[in-house]
Amino acid sequence: MAKKRPAAKSAKPQLHNGEIPVVGAREPCPCGSGRRYKACHGAAAAHAVTEHVARPFEGLPGECDWVALRELVPAATVPLTLKGGLPEGVPSVTLVTVLPLASPALRREDGSVLLGLQNDSTSGDLSRDMADTLERALVAEPGTVVAARRVPAEGPRLQDLLSVDGGFEPVVHSGFEFWIPEAESAQNASPEIAASLERANAAAIPTVKLTGVDAAYWCETPDKNHLRWVMPHPEEKLLDALARLSAAGTSSLGEGTKLVGSFRAHGLMVPVWDLPTGVSAEDVEKPAAEFAERLATALATDAPLTAEERRARGGLTNRQVTLS
């Protein structure tokens, strides 16, 4: 039997890593190795794209409020300030908790941009995903929706695009009427948007941002009310401080309230208090400010935890839930 002739080897293009384009996972790698892209240069690209960033909003003004609006608040808006100012034809850029049909962003007919926060991350870095969406929204045709896509690993982050001097002042809404431009009305919206608005408003939990402390949000549910407070302190230090207050019986926000646990979201801790039905956001303003003072004192304490404080800490840790 005649021997098969070896396949001729094609010349490998002399490409540097930075010049290798992204292709389909099963296609031959453009570097000329003969392997599929996913098994060659695509493997490193996929790792870079999916590497998880624990604190995607770190370094932005109002990091705690970014986390709250991402995970806790149904309906809110925040005007954003871009480095270098707004491009021509873009009168404003507004961060919103969610957009109709969970769209990543949209460019309104007047050129303004709405950037959605409560969307899935495709890269493992929510900041990079949102920066890519924002850049595409700024150049999109007015009246168009910006679709989701796989984000390049080397793309900018929100920290590269937003001004750190712009501040971050969320406005919490009772519903999602901010979807509709002020010059229009919900009655004039398309049937699809109107139906989405009705469903979203029906599901929205009444939420109020406290004014006396940072990133604390009261919400009302059928069984009881809650206060959820995003805090910037290192987790271990904050757990110790909360344990000290719990052991001392000073972790509540008044009669009938109780510190019941915490969330962990985007690298920050979110302590949660149960509040009796009927206790309003206004009712907890003063107790929350007083708690902030007690917490500051506990955070400044470096003494080892007592046995009772360690038990309290264990209880808090056991009731911790990770959201992201």
Side-chain angles (χ1 to χ4, degrees), residues 162-181:
L162 301 182
S163 171
V164 297
D165 301 321
F168 194 80
E169 298 295 334
V171 177
V172 178
H173 303 272
S174 59
F176 296 87
E177 281 71 21
F178 58 83
W179 288 353
I180 312 299

Side-chain angles (χ1 to χ4, degrees), residues 153-165:
E154 69 281 0
R157 308 179 73 237
L158 288 173
Q159 289 81 347
D160 302 316
L161 303 182
L162 301 182
S163 171
V164 297
D165 301 321

